[in-house]
Amino acid sequence: MACLHDHSCEDHDCSSNWSLYKHIDLSKVSALNEAVPGSVKSVFKAWEQRLDSSGEHLESNEGDPELLVYVPFTSDVKIKSISIIGGADGTSPSKMRVFTNRDGIDFSDAQSMQAVQEWDLVENLQGVLEYQTRYAKFQNVASITLHFPDNFGGDTSQIHYIGFKGEATQLKRDVVATIVYELRPNPSDHKTEAERNTPFHMWNGE
C-alpha cells in the first residue's frame, strides 16, 4: 500500500516530526553491490532534503541492478512507512523486500529468506509516495535490511533517498544505563572522608 501526498502534511503523519532520520546509526549503515563504497550513507537525509540530488547517490555496479541496504538504528523504532526515491531512465528499483532485526544478511540469504513484507515499487522521482508497512510487524525494530532485487530496465539501480516514518520507542541502551547510574549513584562514591565517618541519617540532611 502506498500513500500519495495529496493532503496537508501538517494534519498527517508525513511531517518531519515523524521522520526517523535522526535515529539512524549512520556510521554503521552499509550496502552490498554499491559501485562507490560508502555512498549508501548519502541517501539518508532529513525529510525536507529528500529531493536534493546535488550530492552523492547510491548506485549498483554496472550490469547488476541488485542492491542490499542494511540500516541499524540508535534506538528501537516502530516503522509506519518507507519512502524510496530512485533514479531516472529505468534505474529506479522496481521491488523492495524487507527484513527486520537480521544482521549480516547477504544476497543468498535475502533471496532464500521470507521477507517481513514486500512491495512492488513505482518510479517515485518527486518523493510523493510512501509505502505503508504492516505496522504490527514493524515494532521494536533495531535494524532493517532492504533488498532491491531488480529495477525498471536500467543497466544499474540508483537510489537518491531512503526515508522512514514512525516513532522511536526508547533511548539508546547505553544512554539509558548512564542515566540510571546518574540517578542512582552509590553514595560512597561521592562522600568526603568526613562524611564517611558521619552517620548516614546526618549526611542525608536529617
Side-chain angles (χ1 to χ4, degrees), residues 104-131:
I105 294 176
D106 60 20
F107 285 119
S108 177
D109 298 326
Q111 290 160 0
S112 62
M113 288 166 51
Q114 178 72 40
V116 176
Q117 191 171 347
E118 300 184 14
W119 293 264
D120 289 322
L121 306 181
V122 299
E123 293 178 286
N124 178 33
L125 304 184
Q126 301 305 314
V128 295
L129 286 176
E130 294 179 350
Y131 298 92

Side-chain angles (χ1 to χ4, degrees), residues 68-88:
L68 195 66
V69 178
Y70 170 72
V71 186
F73 297 95
T74 57
S75 64
D76 288 354
V77 298
K78 303 175 182 180
I79 300 175
K80 291 187 173 188
S81 66
I82 303 172
S83 179
I84 306 292
I85 300 178

Side-chain angles (χ1 to χ4, degrees), residues 91-102:
T91 62
S92 289
S94 59
K95 189 179 185 68
M96 175 171 66
R97 306 173 68 244
V98 167
F99 309 90
T100 58
N101 300 335
R102 298 294 296 266

Side-chain angles (χ1 to χ4, degrees), residues 172-185:
K172 190 174 179 180
R173 290 176 181 83
D174 57 357
V175 174
V176 172
T178 301
I179 291 174
V180 169
Y181 174 79
E182 291 299 326
L183 289 177
R184 300 177 59 188

